[in-house]
Amino acid sequence: MEKRKMEKLGVETSLLGFGCMRFPVTKDGKINEAEAERLLDKAYAAGVNYYDTAYPYHGGESERVVGRVMKKYDRGSFYLATKLPCWEVKTLEDVDRLFQEQLDKLQTEYIDFYLMHALNRDRFREMTEMGCVKRLEELQAEGRIRHLGFSFHDNYEAFENILNSRDWDFCQIQLNYMDAKEQAGIKGYELAAEKKVPLVIMEPVKGGSLAAFPQDITEMYHSLNPSASMASFALRWVGSLPGVKVVLSGMSTMEQVEDNLKTFGTFTPLSDREKETIDKVVALINSRVQNGCTGCGYCMPCPAGVEIPRNFRIWNTYHMYRNYDMVKGEWEKHMGEEHKAKNCIKCGKCEKVCPQKLSIRDDLEKVQADLDRKEFILS
């Protein structure tokens, strides 16, 4: 198993980290504990020593399952990472209450890597003003937190502000080859590396989006290595960055665990040819964007209730990856029929204020037609 040293902290972690937010589930949506234990055992036996969970994962059950399964192993042989649900913190006393609840679920006396969960500019300001950061520092001084960090969802400027606010032990950002310019992105990676802050990476396969492609892209990857999975190229892209110390993968099946162990068991950084191919894949995917909607929201509110930017985001994603499964949940379950493109009354109000001068009415017709037709289904 590939290991990386966090020189700043004096610890060595497996480059592959087990993300515990996508355990296999039963028909009623609960964690299939027997199968989850089998996956965790397989990873541990292969040398994975970093296990990442959080308070809300699986409706609050992920921490409990991780605690029960990992209790059978020597506590000093692996690292537990979990996160303070900052949105649940209304008073300073909530920090201690939530932290103790997490310790109890995880059946441990300390957390190796404790993160302030999903920080953005406003949330960090609120946590700081409330004294939460100071309280976490006190818990660290008591030895109940070994290493203090944060996970992040905002733009680069907010990341720079938070990273420079104190001497963080580590941080966790979203990064993959399609989102290198999103959120903290590659600039955030470079800043953390410059400051020698160890990086943990989430969403390296973009929630599974980079694990399955239509035939043309699949063939591009197979020309490099016909036996390698699509996901392995995404994982290796992230793992090839030297400042990255842990790459989290949420594994739901034994097949995924075994494929990841193959990737990280004898880890090989990307070759120049592989990097060039990935660059071509990125360019090809981006070329399939249907319109230039930036999500600015100037077109809203729509008199007919159409969520115009959301419709375009779903439509563009569908065409970029040519995979209906990627948008099926949001389009069919979460959006609501009343907000879909079909409700456009063609009043033209939106087009008068659109900075990109998009043909919104015509494009909304195409959105509905394309997503109703479901031409691109990979599964």
Side-chain angles (χ1 to χ4, degrees), residues 305-347:
V306 177
E307 293 187 4
I308 297 170
R310 190 176 182 187
N311 273 267
F312 288 156
R313 176 172 54 79
I314 293 171
W315 184 48
N316 281 322
T317 299
Y318 167 65
H319 276 278
M320 287 169 70
Y321 296 95
R322 296 192 172 180
N323 184 356
Y324 182 73
D325 284 344
M326 281 188 58
V327 300
K328 180 179 180 178
E330 186 169 7
W331 181 251
E332 294 186 6
K333 296 180 181 180
H334 305 306
M335 187 167 193
E337 293 295 319
E338 69 276 17
H339 300 308
K340 288 186 176 180
K342 63 184 178 183
N343 296 295
C344 173
I345 58 176
K346 299 189 180 297
C347 66

Side-chain angles (χ1 to χ4, degrees), residues 100-254:
Q100 187 58 53
E101 182 181 343
Q102 292 177 291
L103 290 178
D104 293 342
K105 282 184 176 181
L106 288 164
Q107 300 187 48
T108 184
E109 295 181 354
Y110 64 93
I111 305 298
D112 299 285
F113 290 85
Y114 198 63
L115 303 90
M116 301 181 73
H117 198 174
L119 285 189
N120 55 35
R121 187 188 304 274
D122 292 340
R123 185 169 287 159
F124 181 62
R125 184 183 66 251
E126 292 168 0
M127 293 295 99
T128 302
E129 290 175 352
M130 199 183 301
C132 297
V133 178
K134 181 179 179 182
R135 180 55 190 146
L136 292 174
E137 291 172 343
E138 292 170 351
L139 290 172
Q140 184 175 19
E142 295 168 10
R144 302 174 74 193
I145 294 172
R146 296 292 170 86
H147 310 296
L148 181 60
F150 65 95
S151 67
F152 178 80
H153 293 287
D154 204 337
N155 58 30
Y156 171 77
E157 289 71 24
F159 178 76
E160 184 177 28
N161 176 262
I162 294 171
L163 193 69
N164 288 331
S165 68
R166 65 182 300 279
D167 185 19
W168 296 97
D169 294 327
F170 71 108
C171 66
Q172 182 170 311
I173 64 171
Q174 175 180 313
L175 188 63
N176 57 71
Y177 62 70
M178 284 304 303
D179 295 331
K181 296 181 180 179
E182 301 295 323
Q183 297 192 21
I186 200 70
K187 283 180 64 179
Y189 160 79
E190 292 169 349
L191 179 65
E194 177 187 328
K195 295 176 69 68
K196 296 184 173 16
V197 176
L199 270 171
V200 177
I201 301 300
M202 56 184 161
E203 300 295 345
V205 193
K206 196 175 169 64
S209 303
L210 308 182
F213 291 106
Q215 185 175 356
D216 55 352
I217 294 177
T218 299
E219 289 176 352
M220 292 170 70
Y221 281 126
H222 280 174
S223 71
L224 298 171
N225 184 346
S227 65
S229 67
M230 302 299 103
S232 69
F233 289 100
L235 292 167
R236 289 175 57 222
W237 184 88
V238 176
S240 296
L241 300 169
V244 170
K245 306 304 180 182
V246 179
V247 180
L248 295 175
S249 178
M251 295 171 265
S252 306
T253 67
M254 185 59 74

Side-chain angles (χ1 to χ4, degrees), residues 356-373:
Q356 277 69 47
K357 305 300 180 185
L358 301 178
S359 300
I360 295 177
R361 289 172 289 181
D362 289 344
D363 283 351
L364 285 174
E365 278 192 23
K366 295 174 184 175
V367 170
Q368 194 70 47
D370 285 354
L371 292 169
D372 283 346
R373 189 165 58 248

